[in-house]
């Protein structure tokens, strides 16, 4: 693959020679390292590296030289890393809904959400475009104008969440994932539906190492505790049924009932307490996990896609979300490693 380098004005300069290019994106990294022979050194801080038509690329943030090894290392943020170095702050004074996105400005009691929360609704690509503009990244990212068919409904961002995590979580709630692709001088961005490969593809313990953990008695009754003291405290009871559906009606009782309390005294309203309680109960109920990493020459898996695994001896199986993608490119050889089971 041609690894092209361009200057800080995003003007193509040339193609790197004899390089090794390692990138990681997803959970907890979103950066790259590129090594070249010292006599091939050609880039400066603030230059960009990219492979046309892929999500592989980013900006050089620092450069190191090793005279003994006769190599230079360029290190920086991937395109995902740009999002990971921006913060989504709560609603700002003066922000209003637009023709494309709806901002929730007040709670049910009429109290303003300014400096408290950012709550947004709209078609996913329109929401992404609004966020990219708000994050002042429009000179690098362009969001598809196509209708993704994915709707964001009153999604409330965590306070001061980093943009990559916030966007990934927002899309995941609607069964979607973030797609990036560098093409003709811009990082094209769009939302796509998550693919559940566990429905027809499973990893086999005879082929790769697995750690599978199944929970047979998950929390099915969550007592949510909001503001107030003693008898004045806001309390909401949430329940799951045998399939994990959440409601205020209890169907699992007796020795099968598993209760936990959730202290969320910062909730300003009962609605806010309930929404966060539902989110918490989903996490507690869905605790089955897979831990593995696997290599693939296929680029078909994306961060957020779901995979399944089975242990042939015990018969245990489970599903997990792809949380990290690690790409190593040496000339024309590409190795892609995926990790699941990481938060």
């Amino acid at each position: 693959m041609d690894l092209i380098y361009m200057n800080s004005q995003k003007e193509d300069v040339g193609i790197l020679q004899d390089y090794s290019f390692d990138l990681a994106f997803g959970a907890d990294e979103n950066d790259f390292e590129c090594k070249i022979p010292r006599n091939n050194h050609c880039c400066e801080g603030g230059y960009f590296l990219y492979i046309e038509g892929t999500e592989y690329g980013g900006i050089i943030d620092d450069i190191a030289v090793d005279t003994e090894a006769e190599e230079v290392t360029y290190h920086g943020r991937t395109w995902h890393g740009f999002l990971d170095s921006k913060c989504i702050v709560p609603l700002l004074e003066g922000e209003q809904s637009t023709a494309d996105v709806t901002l929730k400005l007040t709670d049910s009691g009429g109290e303003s959400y300014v400096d408290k929360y950012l709550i947004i609704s709209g078609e996913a690509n329109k929401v992404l475009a609004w966020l990219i503009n708000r994050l002042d990244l429009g000179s690098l990212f362009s969001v598809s104008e196509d209708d993704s068919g994915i709707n964001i409904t009153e999604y409330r961002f965590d306070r001061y969440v980093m943009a990559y995590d916030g966007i990934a979580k927002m899309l995941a709630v609607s069964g979607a994932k973030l797609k990036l692709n560098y093409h003709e001088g811009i990082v094209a961005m769009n939302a796509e539906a998550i693919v559940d490969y566990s429905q027809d593809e499973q990893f086999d313990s005879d082929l790769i190492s697995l750690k599978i953990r199944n929970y047979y008695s998950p929390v099915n009754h969550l007592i949510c505790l909001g503001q107030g003291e003693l008898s004045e405290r806001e309390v909401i009871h949430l329940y799951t049924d045998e399939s994990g559906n959440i409601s205020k009606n209890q169907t699992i009782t007796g020795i099968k009932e598993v209760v936990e309390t959730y202290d969320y005294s910062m909730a300003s309203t009962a609605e806010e307490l309930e929404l966060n309680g539902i989110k918490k109960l989903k996490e507690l109920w869905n605790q089955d996990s897979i831990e593995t990493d696997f290599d693939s020459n296929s680029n078909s898996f994306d961060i957020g896609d779901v995979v399944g695994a089975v242990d042939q001896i015990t018969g245990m199986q489970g599903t997990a979300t792809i949380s990290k993608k690690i790409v190593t490119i040496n000339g024309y050889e590409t190795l892609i490693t995926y990790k699941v089971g990481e938060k």
Side-chain angles (χ1 to χ4, degrees), residues 210-224:
L210 301 169
K211 291 182 180 179
I212 302 174
R213 186 170 185 176
N214 294 152
Y215 287 80
Y216 300 99
S217 300
V219 174
N220 50 54
H221 177 187
L222 188 66
I223 303 173
C224 307

Side-chain angles (χ1 to χ4, degrees), residues 33-52:
E33 182 178 271
C34 180
K35 293 182 181 293
I36 62 169
R38 185 158 65 114
N39 58 8
N40 285 350
H41 173 50
C42 54
C43 294
E44 301 176 8
Y47 273 33
F48 297 86
L49 304 178
Y50 73 91
I51 296 175
E52 178 71 14

Side-chain angles (χ1 to χ4, degrees), residues 219-221 238-242 244-247 251-252 281 285:
V219 174
N220 50 54
H221 177 187
L238 297 174
Y239 307 93
T240 71
D241 60 18
E242 294 287 355
N245 300 306
I246 297 175
S247 71
T251 59
I252 302 175
L281 185 51
W285 198 85

Side-chain angles (χ1 to χ4, degrees), residues 271-289:
E271 177 188 27
E272 182 181 350
L273 178 62
E274 182 175 342
L275 287 173
N276 280 274
I278 291 172
K279 180 179 177 181
K280 182 66 176 179
L281 185 51
K282 285 181 179 178
E283 293 174 357
L284 293 170
W285 198 85
N286 295 302
Q287 293 195 77
D288 285 1
S289 65

